[in-house]
Amino acid sequence: MATAALSLTLACSLSLPAFAAVEDTGFADVDANAWYADAAVYCRDNGLMSGTSGTTFSPDTAMTRSMLATVLYRLAGSPAVTGSDAFTDTADGAWYSGAVVWASQEGIISGYGNGLFGANDPVTREQIATILWRYSGSPAAEAGTAFADAGAIASWA
């Protein structure tokens, strides 16, 4: 799951200009020679991700559902939101609140049912695929590579 944040970082950068090599990432836990260093710096410098503190990026930490909502919200330009979400396990005024309201209203991220969003739950691979598909406008599916664990993928994904 730790690679989810890095995968999303790289996915967000696919249509962006090539990264320039960095000498210092500004993150104590991201070595300038790490394969993802340029992407981490790009995401920070362009407001997509700010890290888990002022000095850490936490590349080995699982991305949560609220983190993913926040990255996509920022990628969309942080549009103004009104109202609140209908989830019972999210906190008004939390760092992710606007992003969760936006993602929910746009139909990009839904909850688990019973009023639960799971803000601090690690986002799974099938959730990431579904969320990015919705964020992309739910394009028609094309035949792709078969996954060894295809039988374990939930019907909703």
Side-chain angles (χ1 to χ4, degrees):
M1 213 28 61
T3 60
L6 297 175
S7 297
L8 182 62
T9 300
L10 293 174
C12 290
S13 67
L14 289 177
S15 63
L16 304 172
F19 297 118
V22 295
E23 292 185 26
D24 179 14
T25 66
F27 295 114
D29 57 353
V30 179
D31 184 271
N33 295 317
W35 64 267
Y36 54 85
D38 295 331
V41 170
Y42 181 90
C43 286
R44 182 206 50 220
D45 290 350
N46 289 279
L48 298 176
M49 296 178 169
S50 57
T52 54
S53 79
T55 59
T56 59
F57 189 76
S58 301
D60 294 321
T61 300
M63 177 175 251
T64 65
R65 290 169 54 83
S66 57
M67 287 175 175
L68 180 55
T70 300
V71 170
L72 295 176
Y73 173 67
R74 291 174 179 170
L75 188 62
S78 301
V81 295
T82 58
S84 60
D85 65 59
F87 304 113
T88 59
D89 63 344
T90 57
D92 291 335
W95 60 269
Y96 57 78
S97 295
V100 169
V101 169
W102 170 82
S104 175
Q105 289 175 349
E106 293 294 316
I108 295 168
I109 302 178
S110 58
Y112 294 131
N114 297 324
L116 302 176
F117 180 79
N120 295 316
D121 293 352
V123 63
T124 66
R125 186 178 79 185
E126 64 188 359
Q127 289 172 358
I128 290 170
T130 301
I131 291 165
L132 292 178
W133 176 73
R134 290 176 183 156
Y135 181 82
S136 299
S138 305
E142 297 179 19
T145 304
F147 290 96
D149 63 348
I153 298 172
S155 61
W156 56 263

